[in-house]
Amino acid sequence: MRSILIAGNWKMNMGPKETADFFAQLDDSAQKNIEGVDAAVCPPFVSLSAAFSARKSGSAVKIGAQNVHFEDNGAYTGEISTSMLNELGCDFVILGHSERREYFGEDDAIINKKVKKALAAGVTPIVCVGEVLAERKENRHFDVVKEQTAGSLAGLSADELKKIVIAYEPVWAIGTGETASPEQAQEMHAFIRKELAAQFGEEAAATVRILYGGSMKPGNADELLKQPDVDGGLIGGASLKPSDFSQLVAIAAAQ
Ligand code: 13P
């Protein structure tokens, strides 16, 4: 019922030329319309135009941004608005990534404003949550993720919840090569869905896609995607290589 989403978060990698090269090298099989699978890449802002130009006509790969501001326009040096993303045609925007929380001081209240703004603009937010290693070791991971989820999604209606995507990204698994086990991922995804059901109702909670992120790659994607509450992946490193990204889409298609 929930289609799988394979979304690449390119982070601060891939300028316009590398972005064009990526699309030129991307397998046609990863770009065709696959029933039950969505594929997307989220390049840096300066490479978004190049991505839209380089994407083959008829390609099903969607394009998203990695951040957006919560105001419409004005004196916010260095920021990008939802109307700018709309003008390009962005489908998604990643919000609340742990790197933005850690290095740029974003908290749940800021992320909540951005989520609401993105929803109002018709850009699908991919809202990231996840605990750091110390929190897992202290067995606080469920509390942390519960608080982040509730804070980031505060004030949304059940209909709005249905329009968002959540990404569970344990920070200790990001860029480390260490992945949450399929059981750890499933346990947390089911927990998030249960919390969403309590807040927004069963139907909305059953609709929302929950992606896993943290060293997902062709070698471990299959067992993660087999988990009933894992509805896709938010992929960093492996999404930079056209061959790995194509393989991930193929693994999703085989589920
Ligand atoms: P890696 O896949 O490189 O671990 O990054 C995960 C991530 O942060 C995606 O948003």
Side-chain angles (χ1 to χ4, degrees), residues 175-244:
T176 57
E178 196 177 328
T179 320
S181 68
E183 294 75 24
Q184 285 173 320
Q186 169 56 26
E187 185 184 34
M188 184 59 88
H189 286 223
F191 172 78
I192 294 170
R193 206 178 297 286
K194 181 172 73 69
E195 290 300 321
L196 294 175
Q199 207 183 329
F200 298 96
E202 293 283 348
E203 194 216 339
T207 308
V208 69
R209 290 188 283 189
I210 307 178
L211 315 184
Y212 168 78
S215 299
M216 193 167 181
K217 49 186 183 276
N220 59 25
D222 183 58
E223 52 179 8
L224 286 160
L225 293 176
K226 285 220 155 33
Q227 303 307 310
D229 286 293
V230 176
D231 307 313
L234 185 57
I235 298 126
S239 74
L240 301 172
K241 294 186 213 124
S243 58
D244 281 1

Side-chain angles (χ1 to χ4, degrees), residues 9 11 97 99 128 169 173-176 213-216 234-238:
N9 174 8
K11 309 193 179 184
H97 192 280
E99 287 147 19
C128 305
E169 301 206 306
I174 295 179
T176 57
S215 299
M216 193 167 181
L234 185 57
I235 298 126

Side-chain angles (χ1 to χ4, degrees), residues 92-214:
F92 293 102
V93 61
I94 299 170
L95 295 174
H97 192 280
S98 60
E99 287 147 19
R100 296 222 51 92
R101 291 176 187 264
E102 184 180 353
Y103 306 131
F104 303 100
E106 291 197 16
D107 59 16
D108 292 331
I110 293 174
I111 295 158
N112 183 240
K113 284 191 193 179
K114 294 184 173 192
V115 170
K116 287 176 174 159
K117 190 74 200 172
L119 281 168
V123 183
T124 301
I126 301 176
V127 185
C128 305
V129 295
E131 80 285 357
V132 301
L133 185 59
E135 290 161 344
R136 182 163 276 267
K137 283 191 169 155
E138 292 159 12
N139 210 23
R140 291 196 293 122
H141 43 299
F142 292 114
D143 289 345
V144 168
V145 169
K146 179 177 174 172
E147 192 183 321
Q148 288 175 340
T149 308
S152 306
L153 307 182
L156 263 56
S157 67
D159 278 344
E160 285 175 323
L161 183 80
K162 290 184 195 169
K163 293 188 188 131
I164 73 163
V165 175
I166 293 176
Y168 169 57
E169 301 206 306
V171 180
W172 47 271
I174 295 179
T176 57
E178 196 177 328
T179 320
S181 68
E183 294 75 24
Q184 285 173 320
Q186 169 56 26
E187 185 184 34
M188 184 59 88
H189 286 223
F191 172 78
I192 294 170
R193 206 178 297 286
K194 181 172 73 69
E195 290 300 321
L196 294 175
Q199 207 183 329
F200 298 96
E202 293 283 348
E203 194 216 339
T207 308
V208 69
R209 290 188 283 189
I210 307 178
L211 315 184
Y212 168 78

